[in-house]
Amino acid sequence: MDLKSENYNPAVDTLRHISQVSSSWRNLALNSSPLWGCVLNLTRLEGSKKWLDEVVKRSKKSWLYIKAVPKGEVRDIRYNRTDRIWDLDLKPALEFGPIEEPREWCSLFSRSSNLRSLKVDSMIWVSDLFPVLCPHLELLELSDDSRSAVHIQRKDSLLLPGPPISLPGLKKIKIKSHWPYTVDGVMMALQRIAPAASCLLYLHCRVGRFPGEMNFIADSMPLVIPKYLCCARETLASMESPFARIVITTSCVDFTFSSGRLLPEKVDDGIFRFALDGADHAQLLN
């Protein structure tokens, strides 16, 4: 469901049409339970609970790949079969809905699960979304939207030192945040996460020029940057025509390592980046 065509030609519709071609094709489709587990586009299916239930039924005990752009009330939480969800790609609505909605989504990420891939692009602060009980997680992508923000107080505050967050299978972390107030939590989470030895980090966050925050960031950087550079060293060493860019000014810090002269603003896959952009009080209000 990563194809761009998923937005206008959902895979679940294609699979349904295939099952209606003939009796033999139908038998083949119905006996291919993993395929039904891969087409759970809840945005497409939420209009018909009966059809959604049927698709889940046809997936049997297969892993579930879920894609959703939920709006308003939390209609999709009933399908939080976390023991079977392999891939979760969410873009919760940017509009301010009932506060219970973001709370429900955050509670999902704090449950024990078998997730391998988690992508969330939402109005919720990225520091509130870090999964802590997903030992099999391989890909983590979190981003928030500059137009709105909702802060959900975590029960396990990332601002306080705590035990390591064991994610031994985590091979890629990608974080983009527009809200300076989230950086403390993000930096603390990156310190606590124990990822795979080959984990690649892509971090681009906005920071405010508040004394307390700047002091925390200054103390955190020596703990975060060397740690993830060490994780990425094999990947960086294998790059063809490696390119490095290091920018340190009074308003930003940017460490970028890529293959060739790829602009990190345009290409953010397969490169290491640690970037913090400063924002003054006036910018935060715009």
Side-chain angles (χ1 to χ4, degrees):
M1 290 190 293
D2 289 333
L3 298 176
K4 293 181 179 179
S5 60
E6 182 65 25
N7 295 326
Y8 56 86
N9 186 23
V12 66
D13 290 349
T14 301
L15 188 55
R16 186 178 191 178
H17 295 327
I18 289 174
S19 69
Q20 297 171 340
V21 172
S22 66
S23 58
S24 59
W25 281 44
R26 180 173 179 79
N27 289 333
L28 177 61
L30 294 181
N31 289 323
S32 302
S33 54
L35 290 180
W36 294 99
C38 291
V39 296
L40 280 167
N41 184 333
L42 299 187
T43 306
R44 172 67 180 87
L45 295 169
E46 66 182 359
S48 173
K49 183 180 182 301
K50 183 177 180 180
W51 177 225
L52 176 55
D53 289 340
E54 179 62 24
V55 173
V56 174
K57 179 181 177 181
R58 293 181 183 184
S59 70
K60 298 180 181 178
K61 296 182 179 181
S62 301
W63 293 112
L64 303 180
Y65 293 70
I66 297 178
K67 186 180 183 71
V69 186
K71 296 182 179 180
E73 61 179 324
V74 188
R75 292 178 283 264
D76 314 309
I77 294 298
R78 61 179 178 270
Y79 287 99
N80 289 344
R81 306 182 183 199
T82 54
D83 59 328
R84 289 177 53 199
I85 299 177
W86 183 283
D87 186 297
L88 193 56
D89 185 349
L90 300 175
K91 290 188 178 181
L94 296 176
E95 299 85 1
F96 281 95
I99 193 63
E100 289 305 316
E101 179 182 356
R103 280 205 184 102
E104 288 286 352
W105 285 116
C106 286
S107 68
L108 168 62
F109 308 138
S110 62
R111 301 173 195 170
S112 179
S113 75
N114 287 310
L115 269 174
R116 263 61 171 188
S117 175
L118 174 61
K119 301 178 183 178
V120 186
D121 180 6
S122 74
M123 62 182 178
I124 305 170
W125 286 11
V126 293
S127 56
D128 294 330
L129 296 174
F130 275 91
V132 294
L133 298 174
C134 302
H136 307 292
L137 195 66
E138 298 177 2
L139 171 65
L140 175 62
E141 294 189 8
L142 305 176
S143 60
D144 54 33
D145 191 273
S146 61
R147 293 170 290 176
S148 59
V150 172
H151 174 41
I152 305 300
Q153 188 67 40
R154 296 175 62 108
K155 293 181 180 179
D156 54 332
S157 177
L158 290 180
L159 294 179
L160 300 175
I165 301 173
S166 181
L167 301 174
L170 189 58
K171 300 176 182 177
K172 181 180 178 182
I173 302 174
K174 179 180 175 182
I175 301 171
K176 290 185 178 181
S177 177
H178 297 83
W179 294 93
Y181 319 105
T182 71
V183 176
D184 291 2
V186 170
M187 295 292 280
M188 181 59 77
L190 290 176
Q191 290 181 50
R192 291 177 56 189
I193 286 176
S198 58
C199 183
L200 198 61
L201 174 68
Y202 183 98
L203 171 73
H204 190 186
C205 292
R206 204 173 187 187
V207 299
R209 298 177 185 177
F210 308 110
E213 182 182 48
M214 295 306 294
N215 291 337
F216 181 85
I217 292 173
D219 292 339
S220 299
M221 284 176 55
L223 301 175
V224 172
I225 296 178
K227 171 183 176 179
Y228 288 92
L229 275 175
C230 184
C231 287
R233 61 185 176 185
E234 289 188 10
T235 301
L236 299 177
S238 64
M239 287 182 173
E240 296 183 5
S241 304
F243 169 71
R245 184 180 74 174
I246 300 176
V247 179
I248 302 177
T249 70
T250 56
S251 61
C252 79
V253 173
D254 192 339
F255 292 81
T256 302
F257 300 88
S258 63
S259 179
R261 293 181 174 271
L262 300 177
L263 295 176
E265 294 80 5
K266 302 297 182 181
V267 181
D268 52 28
D269 288 327
I271 70 174
F272 174 94
R273 190 181 190 195
F274 179 96
L276 301 176
D277 290 334
D280 58 30
H281 295 274
Q283 288 176 309
L284 297 179
L285 297 176
N286 292 332

